[in-house]
Amino acid sequence: METTLRGVGVSHGVAIGEVRHMGTAVLEPPAKQIPAEEAPREQARARQAVEAVANDLIARGNLAGGEAQAVLEAQALMAQDPELMADVERRIAVGSSAERAVYDAFASYRALLANAGEYLAGRVADLDDVRNRIVARLLGVPMPGVPDSDEPYVLIARDLAPADTALLDPSLVLGFVTEEGGPTSHSAILARALGVPAVVALQGATELTEGTVIAVDGSTGDIFVEPGKDRRAELAKAAAERKAALTASSGPGATSDGHKVPLLANVGGPADVPAAVAAGAEGVGLFRTEFLFLDDSKKAPSEEKQVEAYRQVLEAFPEGRVVVRVLDAGADKPLDFLTPVDEPNPALGVRGLRTLLAHPDVLRTQLRALATAAEGLPVYLEVMAPMVADRIDAKAFADACREAGLRAKFGAMVEIPSAALRARSILQEVEFLSLGTNDLAQYTFAADRQVGSVSRLQDPWQPALLDLVAAAAEAARAEGKSCGVCGEAASDPLLACVLTGLGVTSLSMGAASLPYVRATLAKYTLAQCERAAAAARATDTADEARRAAQAVLSGE
């Protein structure tokens, strides 16, 4: 008998197949004491295992490329954390085996992360994965992970570690469903990059029986258990219609009555550019330059290395628009040479622009590198600062850009509610705004994007979040300046129409989402988008907002 479950759809498409569960194992080693003379050997074993795991994560990242590479390199740095390694060696010195010392040291660090604020608490799943990999290597047992199967299947997991998600084979993994995670979790972002339908935050997902046939709708978040013939036909028809619309869609983004809405791509570096170009991106709306800095957390990359990476991206979009976000370090992206280690709540401390203003030499070098990279190119370069709180922040950034001789538009990201509420003031100092809806939702609702239990508050359809978007867009319109969206909200085709109706002037997203948004936007007039936006804002919940917008656009 068919039953329906509802999670959070995070990657478009429909998948129908048998359930296969991600392998799990209890990797808690026995608490046995070792003789003192064996301590040096055990310490060496621990160091070798840590390096092997770090190298494996980096190798997986090199294979995956793009955003996945940066995520996995960050995990490798986590494995090599010197304080963690020192704790492991101390535990071995007083009698623990290498595997038990790793297990206990990571448990201690895990507790610190879990209580260090919402940003760092969201990294616990990544830390657990690193621990399991090191302990498995020390115990000489296989690391549990993606199941072996010759037939395509739907993968079910409590959560998916980046190292597993990055290397999923789309020819075998039809889609995946997780019990944890949220719309902007690592799993969701990587699923979109892979083009695999995915649903997260589905309570009870791991209770689905192995071999059960389910249908996963990554657009709506619906899971149909043992779908009947009619349901399968309905989903197949919807998928065929969607595919036909995508095939017919091409060219610049616009509504059906010709209102232009440039559709841009979010990239983490040169490796992401080919997919963006192939998907018809009109430029880059968010170049996340922090991924370049994750190669070595001890020091910033040289100016020459930065110039090379920036120029590769700029050259890919001749006469197109490329919006570069300067280094966004701190909170969940710590860098040893920049980030304070003793902050009680890093998410609310020195991060983003605050970090750069505290280290002006790092900002100055990056801005000079961008200026050099753009020399002689016809590209429209725009540079923006992350985590701008007020006009003082915006002025400090604009002054730094001018002092570095940067010939580009200077902008501010709206990720803090204060910036949305006082956007007109900020626009006295900069030339454009870009809404980072992921962090804006996080700070508006005090709900970490990595925590599945608060996923309803991470939903970009929340009316309060739409109100803040409208406030920023209205301020930009009043000042005759642009206001784009570069957060994950832009990747939802229906929400893209609503954002357009709110007055947003451009939309930036992962390359895989561009055809879906282009095709959907082309179906409606600007007036329809405006009515849908008004209807969504008149509601009280995210679900109501979504249904209200859909009703307007479907003519109900």
Side-chain angles (χ1 to χ4, degrees):
M1 179 178 172
E2 178 181 311
T3 57
T4 304
L5 306 174
R6 169 65 67 86
V8 178
V10 295
S11 185
H12 304 297
V14 172
I16 302 176
E18 291 188 0
V19 163
R20 293 285 184 276
H21 286 270
M22 174 68 81
T24 58
V26 177
L27 293 175
E28 180 174 357
K32 64 180 182 180
Q33 287 292 107
I34 62 167
E37 61 269 21
E38 292 186 15
R41 181 178 67 85
E42 289 296 287
Q43 289 172 338
R45 284 183 66 227
R47 287 192 295 271
Q48 290 166 3
V50 165
E51 285 305 308
V53 167
N55 290 336
D56 178 62
L57 289 168
I58 291 170
R60 285 169 177 259
N62 290 336
L63 285 172
E67 294 186 40
Q69 182 173 3
V71 171
L72 292 173
E73 287 175 352
Q75 264 197 304
L77 291 175
M78 187 180 286
Q80 296 168 308
D81 184 279
E83 291 187 18
L84 253 176
M85 197 62 233
D87 189 16
V88 169
E89 294 193 345
R90 281 194 298 269
R91 292 173 187 273
I92 293 173
V94 295
S96 285
S97 65
E99 47 266 36
R100 187 69 208 191
V102 167
Y103 186 87
D104 290 339
F106 270 75
S108 178
Y109 194 37
R110 188 186 198 281
L112 289 174
L113 281 185
N115 294 303
E118 292 180 345
Y119 261 105
L120 293 181
R123 305 283 87 74
V124 165
D126 292 358
L127 184 70
D128 288 347
D129 180 60
V130 172
R131 177 203 64 204
N132 285 345
R133 290 177 187 278
I134 297 171
V135 172
R137 183 170 287 270
L138 286 166
L139 290 174
V141 300
M143 175 65 198
V146 177
D148 290 327
S149 177
D150 295 329
E151 298 296 325
Y153 58 89
V154 176
L155 182 62
I156 305 293
R158 182 167 297 281
D159 202 354
L160 283 170
D164 293 318
T165 315
L167 296 183
L168 290 178
D169 182 353
S171 68
L172 284 177
V173 181
L174 302 172
F176 66 76
V177 180
T178 66
E179 197 159 298
E180 300 294 332
T184 57
S185 65
H186 286 153
S187 294
I189 292 171
L190 295 177
R192 285 189 284 271
L194 286 166
V196 175
V199 172
V200 301
L202 177 70
Q203 294 300 309
T206 54
E207 296 172 15
L208 289 168
T209 305
E210 185 93 2
T212 302
V213 175
I214 65 171
V216 179
D217 190 328
S219 300
T220 65
D222 288 329
I223 304 292
F224 303 100
V225 181
E226 299 290 1
K229 182 179 178 181
D230 290 345
R231 178 70 67 188
R232 289 175 181 242
E234 175 189 323
L235 291 171
K237 180 182 177 184
E241 290 174 349
R242 193 176 294 145
K243 184 176 180 180
L246 293 178
T247 302
S249 174
S250 62
T255 59
S256 63
D257 56 340
H259 174 72
K260 293 183 179 180
V261 186
L263 301 181
L264 313 170
N266 295 342
V267 303
D272 292 339
V273 168
V277 172
E282 298 170 59
V284 172
L286 173 62
F287 181 180
R288 301 182 178 98
T289 60
E290 62 270 18
F291 291 158
L292 184 63
F293 287 73
L294 290 173
D295 287 344
D296 185 350
S297 69
K298 306 294 184 186
K299 64 181 187 298
S302 67
E303 187 170 336
E304 293 73 20
K305 182 176 181 180
Q306 291 188 56
V307 169
E308 180 183 359
Y310 302 152
R311 193 167 181 90
Q312 286 182 58
V313 175
L314 296 176
E315 287 177 336
F317 296 94
E319 300 185 8
R321 178 186 179 198
V322 175
V323 184
V324 178
R325 180 176 70 190
V326 293
L327 176 62
D328 183 13
D332 62 332
K333 290 170 282 191
L335 293 169
D336 291 349
F337 67 95
L338 284 181
T339 311
V341 296
D342 56 352
E343 285 189 306
N345 192 339
L348 302 179
V350 181
R351 66 161 296 196
L353 179 61
R354 298 169 189 172
T355 303
L356 291 174
L357 295 179
H359 297 82
D361 53 324
V362 175
L363 176 58
R364 191 180 307 114
T365 299
Q366 184 171 24
L367 294 174
R368 280 203 311 263
L370 285 165
T372 301
E375 284 179 5
L377 297 180
V379 67
Y380 295 95
L381 176 63
E382 302 184 12
V383 182
M384 61 185 181
M387 304 302 294
V388 170
D390 57 15
R391 183 172 179 174
I392 293 173
D393 279 352
K395 184 178 188 304
F397 178 66
D399 287 346
C401 290
R402 282 188 283 267
E403 288 170 10
L406 188 62
R407 295 182 180 178
K409 284 187 175 182
F410 317 142
M413 289 199 71
V414 177
E415 301 167 280
I416 304 172
S418 63
L421 296 171
R422 300 290 295 174
R424 196 159 184 181
S425 170
I426 288 172
L427 283 166
Q428 304 310 303
E429 305 294 342
V430 295
E431 299 172 82
F432 70 93
L433 301 176
S434 184
L435 288 143
T437 51
N438 306 349
D439 270 321
L440 187 57
Q442 232 174 185
Y443 288 113
T444 299
F445 298 104
D448 187 348
R449 56 200 275 191
Q450 298 293 331
V451 178
S453 59
V454 293
S455 62
R456 76 172 185 85
L457 296 172
Q458 302 154 0
D459 194 324
W461 281 94
Q462 285 283 356
L465 189 65
L466 299 181
D467 287 345
L468 291 174
V469 173
E474 175 54 38
R477 183 164 48 243
E479 293 296 324
K481 296 179 178 180
S482 63
C483 177
V485 167
C486 64
E488 292 299 317
S491 65
D492 178 335
L494 182 61
L495 186 51
C497 296
V498 167
L499 294 173
T500 298
L502 292 174
V504 166
T505 55
S506 66
L507 299 166
S508 189
M509 65 210 75
S513 297
L514 284 163
Y516 292 93
V517 172
R518 184 186 295 113
T520 304
L521 199 59
K523 292 165 59 177
Y524 306 109
T525 65
L526 176 59
Q528 286 176 301
C529 292
E530 289 172 340
R531 287 197 296 273
R537 290 182 66 195
T539 64
D540 294 315
T541 71
D543 284 343
E544 289 173 357
R546 188 182 286 105
R547 287 196 296 270
Q550 181 67 68
V552 169
L553 294 177
S554 62
E556 295 177 10

